[in-house]
Amino acid sequence: MKEIMNRILKKEPVFYKNPAALDDPSGYLGKLDIGFDDIVDAEQRLGRFAPLVSMLFPETKDGIIESPFIKADNFREKVYPGMKGGLYFKLDSHLEVAGSIKARGGIYEVLKVTEDILIRNNLLDYNDDYSVIAGDSIRKFLSGFTVSVASTGNLGLSIGIMAAKLGYNSRVHMSRDAKQWKKDRLTAGGVTMVEHDGDFTYAAAMGRREAGTGNNIHFVDDERSCNLFLGYAVSALRIKGDLKKHGIEPTREKPLVLYLPCGVGGAPGGIAFGFKHAFGERVKCYLAEPVSSPSMLLGVMTGRFGQLNVNDYGLDNKTELDGLAVASPSDFVSPMMEFLCDGFFTVRDEKMFEYLYLLKETEGIGIEPSAAAGIPGPGITGLWDRDVFHIVWTTGGLFVPGDIYDKMYFRGKRAYEDSRD
Ligand SMILES: Cc1ncc(COP(=O)(O)O)c(C=O)c1O
């Protein structure tokens, strides 16, 4: 423990195998306030909204926002020669509407809130065709409400765009880490942006404070929201079709192994929660953070959970992996990760640019740097030579503008070539 702490403080990449992780999580999961039925309920709600989503975003497939799942043989050969077990990528980087994993939780929460408001006001019935929500009268009604959120960029994109599209007054409190192109995209989508010269924890505190002073304002609280969490968890039900298509039948001996980029923890935590429910002992989950922001790792390792701030350990939370620039983990999610997460690892920024480049070269897939954090997982956990189903979750990138992507690509190419010299 002391040795690993020294390495964390020196910003060296580490792997921490979680000693409290449960092989069989069923007893623990059974004691939580939320359970499998809530994930099914969320999935059904997304189904009710599909006609509306399809109308508002015709680029989605029948109004269901879901990502591709691929077997990455070329990448495997290049990066992990000799690897045992198949290497797969779950491309949440390519989720429509928001272009990141945040499309799962963020959009789910906006839809859930909308259903609650409309049913409460007798403007909707569960049996209605939800495309009525796009009609003028409901849009006008929703314009009397505000949906707000704090974000490092991607959650803002998902919630901001969906809320504005439904007619809400949509506000995003941006941390200083957010990239300019994400802010520009939001402004173009009719979202009001409040820029903060502080980190995500600060922006979240400001958003929460503002919401506390107003009426008809719903603040999506990334540090505490159960709705966001359930939206991510639905992925565990949806993946069953992907697994079937690829002939993947996980067992206790040959499990699914997920490598998930982690910021505040809602997205990877919700996915881990969903998968532990759906696959029990047949899945292992590993969370990835930048070396300068290992807030979930430290929060769980020290037992301080959401009270922890990496700044207290002399770490600056400055990283080019903008989506993962979070100094304090979610207080709601981190205590669950003590039992549901099998391990944590940290990654260096520069290496992520190399992976961004290599993924394009080998598989033709474009991602943003944060989205690459899971890629070193099989190596750093030492599982690369185990015959398991390695599933790397890439989490953002679809909407990165071409010129910005090219710069990152060439940066990665240079870094890769230099590392070969
Ligand atoms: C690209 C990307 N990956 C992963 C994450 C991590 O999600 P969370 O903050 O819920 O842990 C984020 C968060 O914004 C992100 O933008």
Side-chain angles (χ1 to χ4, degrees), residues 98-165:
S100 82
I101 193 166
K102 299 279 143 177
R104 294 189 185 279
I107 287 172
Y108 175 70
E109 176 143 352
V110 175
L111 299 180
K112 166 88 169 74
V113 165
T114 303
E115 188 181 63
D116 289 349
I117 292 176
L118 295 178
I119 297 239
R120 205 168 52 235
N121 287 280
N122 299 319
L123 292 168
L124 185 74
D125 183 90
Y126 291 117
N127 297 315
D128 284 346
D129 174 346
Y130 279 23
S131 47
V132 294
I133 296 172
D136 284 348
S137 61
I138 291 192
R139 269 187 71 79
K140 189 153 182 285
F141 178 77
L142 292 178
S143 71
F145 294 80
T146 297
V147 171
S148 99
V149 66
S151 175
T152 55
N154 282 335
L155 186 64
L157 274 178
S158 107
I159 287 174
I161 297 290
M162 182 50 101
K165 198 84 170 181

Side-chain angles (χ1 to χ4, degrees), residues 101-102 152 154 222 232 261-268 323-324 368 370-371 395-396:
I101 193 166
K102 299 279 143 177
T152 55
N154 282 335
D222 203 10
Y232 298 118
C262 177
V264 74
L324 315 184
E368 58 182 271
S370 303
T395 49

Side-chain angles (χ1 to χ4, degrees), residues 8-28:
I8 293 170
L9 301 185
K10 281 196 250 162
K11 289 197 186 175
E12 288 173 12
V14 296
F15 170 53
Y16 175 66
K17 191 169 187 299
N18 180 7
L22 296 167
D23 258 347
D24 175 3
S26 53
Y28 172 73

